[in-house]
Amino acid sequence: GAVVSQHPSRVICKSGTSVKIECRSLDFQATTMFWYRQFPKQSLMLMATSNEGSKATYEQGVEKDKFLINHASLTLSTLTVTSAHPEDSSFYICSAQPTSGSDTQYFGPGTRLTVL
Amino acid sequence: KQEVTQIPAALSVPEGENLVLNCSFTDSAIYNLQWFRQDPGKGLTSLLLIQSSQREQTSGRLNASLDKSSGRSTLYIAASQPGDSATYLCAVPFSGGYNKLIFGAGTRLAVHP
């Protein structure tokens, strides 16, 4: 149990286009999901907290107008990278925390974004 | 501001060795501490979660200890195997926000036959 999926697993896009990444909790409900970014050989950096039915909370230095987050249901959060540029190329990972109150977060497999 | 440091950054050992990976954090007022495993190009797998009231947790060949007062945790891997090769990350919650995690940079482990 407690599986989180991400789609797509890899995406290559041209500079200036927008890319949407989906994060789904497959067998549990998650009021809160988190989006992280990981550059090569670096650790995960929290970008934003996605809350079902309300606005996302962004970490300092993360542009909310560039990284649009929508958490429309208890099992789905989406991250849209708008007007992507090569410096946005990274590994994006989401995690979901069960609504049941468990401290454990379950992580998705990640999405590799390459912007040409 | 909480900072998490992991030492060593990389480790290469022969199969069968017992290993100790270190994690330190600057703010001892943590809610819990987690150890994760990440395979190349993959997401994270939770290995162990230690609550602030606990001193250690064990799962199979893995044992994690927590010393809040000194701001340290260690992950002990017994009888290492090639399949243990991965990056090991420790993480603690943001100060005041126990759901959001701050990660260390990780220890890249290579266990060779």
Side-chain angles (χ1 to χ4, degrees):
Chain A
V3 177
V4 176
S5 70
Q6 282 185 241
H7 178 81
S9 57
R10 290 178 178 272
V11 57
I12 300 173
C13 68
K14 294 182 179 179
S15 185
T17 61
S18 294
V19 174
K20 180 185 285 188
I21 303 170
E22 293 185 348
C23 176
R24 292 181 185 272
S25 56
L26 299 184
D27 49 5
F28 64 96
Q29 293 184 332
T31 306
T32 302
M33 293 185 176
F34 302 93
W35 286 96
Y36 295 85
R37 181 167 52 183
Q38 185 178 35
F39 292 106
K41 295 190 177 181
Q42 295 186 26
S43 193
L44 281 74
M45 296 295 293
L46 179 66
M47 299 175 65
T49 303
S50 173
N51 301 298
E52 189 268 338
S54 64
K55 292 183 178 180
T57 305
Y58 291 81
E59 296 304 309
Q60 191 172 10
V62 178
E63 300 175 56
K64 63 179 181 180
D65 294 330
K66 181 170 184 62
F67 298 98
L68 301 179
I69 291 173
N70 183 273
H71 194 150
S73 77
L74 287 172
T75 59
L76 173 64
S77 175
T78 61
L79 169 68
T80 301
V81 183
T82 62
S83 187
H85 289 93
E87 58 265 30
D88 298 323
S89 298
S90 188
F91 193 54
Y92 292 86
I93 303 178
C94 71
S95 71
Q97 182 146 358
T99 304
S100 62
S102 168
D103 286 340
T104 302
Q105 292 182 31
Y106 299 94
F107 284 77
T111 296
R112 172 73 60 192
L113 170 63
T114 302
V115 185
L116 303 177
Chain B
K1 179 184 176 184
Q2 180 71 276
E3 294 182 2
V4 181
T5 304
Q6 291 187 246
I7 296 173
L11 190 59
S12 180
V13 299
E15 182 176 7
E17 280 204 5
N18 299 324
L19 310 171
V20 175
L21 308 182
N22 298 291
C23 173
S24 61
F25 44 95
T26 54
D27 185 349
S28 62
I30 60 171
Y31 186 71
N32 57 46
L33 182 144
Q34 295 186 63
W35 283 93
F36 294 88
R37 168 183 173 141
Q38 184 178 31
D39 292 287
K42 305 290 185 181
L44 276 66
T45 300
S46 179
L47 298 174
L48 292 163
L49 183 152
I50 311 176
Q51 299 290 355
S52 61
S53 58
Q54 298 175 319
R55 293 193 66 84
E56 66 178 308
Q57 280 282 359
T58 298
S59 175
R61 294 182 294 107
L62 305 179
N63 175 277
S65 66
L66 175 64
D67 184 344
K68 276 185 56 178
S69 60
S70 65
R72 294 178 183 176
S73 176
T74 61
L75 179 66
Y76 178 82
I77 303 177
S80 59
Q81 303 171 358
D84 295 330
S85 298
T87 295
Y88 291 81
L89 300 163
C90 70
V92 298
F94 274 56
S95 299
Y98 65 89
N99 291 335
K100 304 193 299 185
L101 298 179
I102 301 174
F103 285 84
T107 294
R108 294 189 302 281
L109 173 64
V111 181
H112 47 87

